Amino acid sequence: MFHILLVDDEPLVRLKMKALTDWERHGYEITGEASDGTEALKILEQKEFDIVLVDISMPGMDGITLIREMKEKNLEPQILMLSAYNDFHFVREAFTLGAIDYVMKNEVSVEKMLNLFQKCKENLKNRAVQKERQHISYRVEQAQLMEELLLKEVTIDLKERMKASKLKLSEKNLVVACILIDHYQLLEERHDEVVLLNMQKRISTMLEQKTQEYQLGEIVSLNPKSFVYLMSFPKEVSQQAIQYKIQSILTNISCCFRQYFNLSVSCGVSSVTDGFHHVKKLYAQALETAQLRMVYGTGRILGENERTQISKDYDEFDRALLHDIVVSLSEDTKEKLKELLLEFEKRVKELCLLSTAKAVSFYSGIMYELVSELGQKGIKISELFEEKIDFYKELSAFETLDEMNQWFRSLVQDIYDRLNQGKTTQNYKLKNAMKYINKHYTEGISLRQVSDYCEVSESYLSRLFTEQIGESFINYLTGLRIKLAKKLMEETNEPIGDIGKHVGYENQEHFSRMFKKITGKSPSSFRNEFMNVHENEKKF
C-alpha cells in the first residue's frame, strides 16, 4: 500500500479527492491531511509518506516553500502538485525543486490521478532498486577494504582509503573477533546448495543489522563458515569496560545464531591494541583462539584467559598404553577396556593439540598403529567391519577433542563387541538405536547422535540398518517422519510448514522435497486429495 499526504487549504478539495474513488482498491491510501505547508512539514517529520499531493497556492507556507523545506530536510516522497490556471510560473519552479508532475484542480479525475500515482510508484521502485545497487556496491567495497586490512600489510594507499571510507572504525582500541559456525560440514551434508546459500544471505543480513545496532565496527565473511568482526572502542579508556562490551556483543550474536538458525558458533577474541597496521596480527590471533574449540569445546567465547591456559609444549605420547588397549580387546573384561580408554583420553587431552589439523594427524597415526597391532594378532579391520573405513575422512568431520575421543572410544568398543559377542551385540545395539530413534525422530537427530548414544561408530550402525532393517538409516528416519506428517495432515488443520517442523524439518522446502520423494506428491497435493476424498465420503 502506497501512503499519500494530501495538502490543500480548501477542505472541500480534500474531501473531493478522498471521495473520488476507493483508493485502497488500487493500492493507495490517503493517510494524512494538512491545510498548509507548516502543518504538512510537521506531519512529514513524524511519519513517512510515499506521495505528497500538494496545492501550490496556500496561505501561510505555500506549496513551493514546503517543497524547498522538504528538500533541505532530505525528505524524499514523490511530489505531485495541484495547480490553478494562474500558477504556471510556480509550477516551473516546483519542477526545478524535484516535483514529479502536476494536475489542474478542475481536471482532476480518477484516471488522471491513477496515471500520476502510477508514475510515482514506478519512480519509487526505480529509486529503491538504485539504492539497493548502491548499497551492494558500497558493501562490496567495504568487504574488499576489510579483507585487505585482515590479510595484507597496511600500505599508505590502504590507510587513505580507510580514511575516505564510511567504515565504522577508529584506529584506537582495535580488537578482532573470529566467529566460526560449529559443525558446518554437517550442514553441507544435510542441505543442498540453494538452502545453504539462502541461509548465508539471512546470516549476513542479521550480522549487518547487528553492526548497525552496535555502531562499533564491521563484519566481513571470508568463507561460508566463518565471519570476522573488527571492532574499535575509541571512547573507552578501561580495558575491563571493553572486554565487558565484547562479551555482551558476542553473546548476543551467538544467541541470534541459535535462535534464528539453530546454529552453534565458537568465537575467538584477540587482544586490544591501537593502529590499523596491527589488524593482520590481531586476526591471526583471533582465528587461532577460535580454533581452541578443539580443546575447550564448541559454542564458547574464547579469549586471553583461554589462550594463556594452554601450553604448547608436550612430550611424546606413550604408545605402550595403546598396546595395552589392543591386548585387552581379546584378553580382558569390558570394564578393564573402559578404564584403559579413559586413561587414553586423559593422556590425549594433556597433549594440548591446538588445531583440528594436528588432532586429525595425531589420531590418524594412532589408527595406523592400532590397525598394525591388530594385524599382528591376525585381526583385519576390513574383515571385521566387512567394509572400508576412511578413518581420515571421519576424523576430519570433528571439531573438538571430545568428539574425536568419543569416536575412538566407540570404534574400539565396536571392535571388542565384534570379537567377543558377535550377533547378540548387534541385535542389542540395533534395539537401542531403534528405541532412541522412535523417541527422538521428530527432532533434528543424525546418525552421529544415534551412534554416540549406542556407543558404536557411524559406519557400524549404518551397516546394521542395511543388513537388519533392509534400508539405510536416513531412509528409515525419513519414513517415520513422513508417516507422522501424513497423519497430522489428515487429522489436523495445521499449516504445512508447522507440520514439517513438528516432524523434524526446520526448512519447509526440504520437508516438501522429502515428502514428495516418499509419497510422490507434494504436501499440499496430498492434503487436497485427502480432503476431496473425505468430502465425497460424507456425501454418500
Side-chain angles (χ1 to χ4, degrees):
M1 192 69 68
F2 287 78
H3 299 285
I4 301 169
L5 173 63
L6 179 56
V7 187
D8 197 296
D9 62 306
E10 298 180 50
L12 287 177
V13 173
R14 300 201 303 270
L15 183 62
K16 176 186 175 182
M17 190 63 69
K18 289 196 300 182
L20 201 58
T21 186
D22 181 4
W23 293 114
E24 290 187 33
R25 185 164 61 88
H26 299 286
Y28 305 98
E29 186 178 3
I30 297 176
T31 52
E33 291 183 59
S35 59
D36 64 21
T38 303
E39 184 183 357
L41 194 60
K42 288 180 181 177
I43 295 172
L44 286 165
E45 288 176 333
Q46 295 173 0
K47 185 179 177 182
E48 288 189 9
F49 289 86
D50 301 300
I51 302 169
V52 174
L53 183 57
V54 56
D55 183 13
I56 289 183
S57 299
M58 293 182 293
M61 184 188 290
D62 60 23
I64 296 296
T65 307
L66 172 61
I67 296 170
R68 191 178 291 113
E69 288 287 330
M70 289 168 60
K71 189 173 182 179
E72 287 181 3
K73 294 179 180 293
N74 293 318
L75 300 171
E76 297 183 330
Q78 299 290 289
I79 300 169
L80 293 174
M81 296 167 289
L82 288 169
S83 171
Y85 283 110
N86 58 352
D87 289 337
F88 284 118
H89 64 290
F90 292 121
V91 169
R92 285 196 299 271
E93 187 176 356
F95 275 124
T96 63
L97 291 171
I100 300 302
D101 212 328
Y102 75 98
V103 60
M104 304 293 292
K105 287 187 179 182
N106 64 337
E107 294 179 357
V108 167
S109 67
V110 174
E111 183 180 2
K112 188 177 286 287
M113 295 311 301
L114 286 176
N115 286 336
L116 290 173
F117 290 161
Q118 179 64 28
K119 187 176 180 180
C120 291
K121 184 195 293 188
E122 290 172 1
N123 282 347
L124 286 167
K125 288 182 178 178
N126 290 336
R127 190 166 69 187
V129 169
Q130 185 63 26
K131 280 188 174 181
E132 180 62 22
R133 286 175 179 167
Q134 289 174 350
H135 177 71
I136 291 171
S137 175
Y138 168 64
R139 291 302 295 170
V140 168
E141 184 181 350
Q142 282 188 323
Q144 289 174 343
L145 273 176
M146 287 281 288
E147 286 189 31
E148 287 185 50
L149 198 58
L150 293 164
L151 303 175
K152 299 180 179 180
E153 298 299 332
V154 175
T155 61
I156 296 175
D157 173 62
L158 182 56
K159 276 192 173 184
E160 291 300 319
R161 287 161 59 204
M162 286 294 298
K163 288 178 182 178
S165 75
K166 296 180 181 178
L167 291 170
K168 299 179 286 292
L169 282 170
S170 162
E171 292 202 63
K172 184 173 173 57
N173 288 329
L174 283 163
V175 62
V176 174
C178 192
I179 303 168
L180 306 181
I181 297 177
D182 297 324
H183 304 112
Y184 190 80
Q185 186 173 335
L186 286 179
L187 287 178
E188 292 179 315
E189 292 171 2
R190 292 175 185 170
H191 304 298
D192 58 31
E193 290 182 7
V194 175
V195 173
L196 289 174
L197 185 60
N198 287 335
M199 181 184 293
Q200 288 160 16
K201 288 180 179 177
R202 288 163 54 214
I203 289 173
S204 295
T205 300
M206 180 272 287
L207 291 174
E208 188 174 337
Q209 289 171 349
K210 287 297 170 185
T211 58
Q212 291 296 326
E213 178 184 337
Y214 301 131
Q215 293 289 312
L216 289 171
E218 302 287 348
I219 289 182
V220 64
S221 174
L222 298 182
N223 58 62
K225 59 186 176 182
S226 70
F227 303 86
V228 183
Y229 195 172
L230 176 55
M231 292 174 271
S232 61
F233 300 85
K235 296 180 181 179
E236 297 292 343
V237 293
S238 165
Q239 288 291 312
Q240 186 175 1
I242 292 172
Q243 295 300 334
Y244 176 78
K245 282 190 175 182
I246 293 170
Q247 189 75 19
S248 299
I249 290 168
L250 294 180
T251 298
N252 182 258
I253 288 175
S254 297
C255 289
C256 288
F257 268 97
R258 190 168 294 281
Q259 180 180 354
Y260 301 132
F261 309 104
N262 195 29
L263 295 175
S264 163
V265 294
S266 297
C267 304
V269 184
S270 73
S271 53
V272 182
T273 191
D274 296 339
F276 288 138
H277 59 284
H278 288 300
V279 170
K280 183 181 177 182
K281 182 175 68 176
L282 293 178
Y283 168 58
Q285 191 182 66
L287 180 59
E288 182 180 352
T289 305
Q291 289 172 340
L292 289 179
R293 66 182 177 181
M294 170 60 63
V295 177
Y296 292 103
T298 56
R300 297 188 57 179
I301 299 171
L302 307 169
E304 187 68 28
N305 290 338
E306 288 72 23
R307 283 197 300 273
T308 56
Q309 290 174 18
I310 294 294
S311 169
K312 296 185 181 181
D313 298 323
Y314 51 83
D315 297 324
E316 188 68 21
F317 187 75
D318 183 6
R319 260 58 180 181
L321 181 56
L322 182 62
H323 175 75
D324 292 341
I325 289 173
V326 173
V327 171
S328 72
L329 285 172
S330 55
E331 296 183 3
D332 292 297
T333 65
K334 197 165 187 177
E335 289 303 315
K336 177 63 176 177
L337 178 61
K338 285 183 177 180
E339 289 178 13
L340 288 170
L341 287 172
L342 287 173
E343 180 62 25
F344 178 86
E345 290 172 19
K346 178 185 174 184
R347 300 270 187 91
V348 171
K349 285 188 176 182
E350 289 172 354
L351 295 178
C352 294
L353 299 163
L354 301 183
S355 70
T356 305
K358 287 183 179 179
V360 170
S361 175
F362 167 78
Y363 255 120
S364 296
I366 289 294
M367 290 310 304
Y368 175 80
E369 293 190 30
L370 176 67
V371 171
S372 297
E373 286 221 27
L374 286 172
Q376 291 173 14
K377 295 173 72 67
I379 303 169
K380 294 184 178 180
I381 288 284
S382 57
E383 293 178 359
L384 197 61
F385 285 90
E386 301 176 6
E387 64 206 35
K388 182 181 178 181
I389 303 176
D390 190 337
F391 297 123
Y392 185 84
K393 182 179 179 181
E394 292 197 11
L395 285 165
S396 297
F398 302 124
E399 294 178 347
T400 69
L401 275 178
D402 283 340
E403 291 170 346
M404 291 188 185
N405 284 337
Q406 189 172 2
W407 174 84
F408 180 74
R409 181 171 67 248
S410 296
L411 182 68
V412 172
Q413 288 175 339
D414 266 4
I415 295 172
Y416 179 90
D417 289 339
R418 289 168 186 263
L419 289 173
N420 296 282
Q421 297 177 21
K423 202 73 175 179
T424 303
T425 300
Q426 288 187 9
N427 293 335
Y428 170 73
K429 296 292 185 185
L430 187 59
K431 283 179 182 178
N432 265 0
M434 301 288 278
K435 182 178 177 182
Y436 183 85
I437 293 167
N438 289 331
K439 185 176 180 181
H440 298 282
Y441 73 91
T442 59
E443 304 165 16
I445 62 171
S446 64
L447 179 63
R448 182 186 295 179
Q449 284 175 274
V450 182
S451 62
D452 287 347
Y453 174 79
C454 298
E455 296 186 333
V456 297
S457 69
E458 292 179 58
S459 56
Y460 176 58
L461 185 60
S462 178
R463 187 174 66 82
L464 277 186
F465 262 88
T466 304
E467 290 179 356
Q468 303 295 319
I469 306 299
E471 61 181 337
S472 67
F473 163 81
I474 192 64
N475 285 346
Y476 179 78
L477 178 64
T478 302
L480 287 177
R481 289 172 168 174
I482 301 305
K483 183 178 179 181
L484 177 59
K486 288 164 65 177
K487 186 172 185 291
L488 291 173
M489 279 191 274
E490 291 172 354
E491 297 179 358
T492 73
N493 293 320
E494 281 193 80
I496 287 171
D498 290 348
I499 288 175
K501 289 180 180 179
H502 285 328
V503 301
Y505 296 100
E506 285 297 321
N507 183 279
Q508 184 174 339
E509 184 183 344
H510 186 206
F511 167 60
S512 297
R513 273 202 314 273
M514 299 311 295
F515 191 94
K516 189 170 185 178
K517 181 179 178 182
I518 298 298
T519 66
K521 303 170 186 174
S522 68
S524 55
S525 297
F526 176 86
R527 172 171 269 176
N528 290 337
E529 286 185 18
F530 173 78
M531 295 293 290
N532 291 336
V533 170
H534 190 62
E535 288 298 321
N536 290 334
E537 288 177 350
K538 279 185 178 180
K539 292 177 182 178
F540 294 101

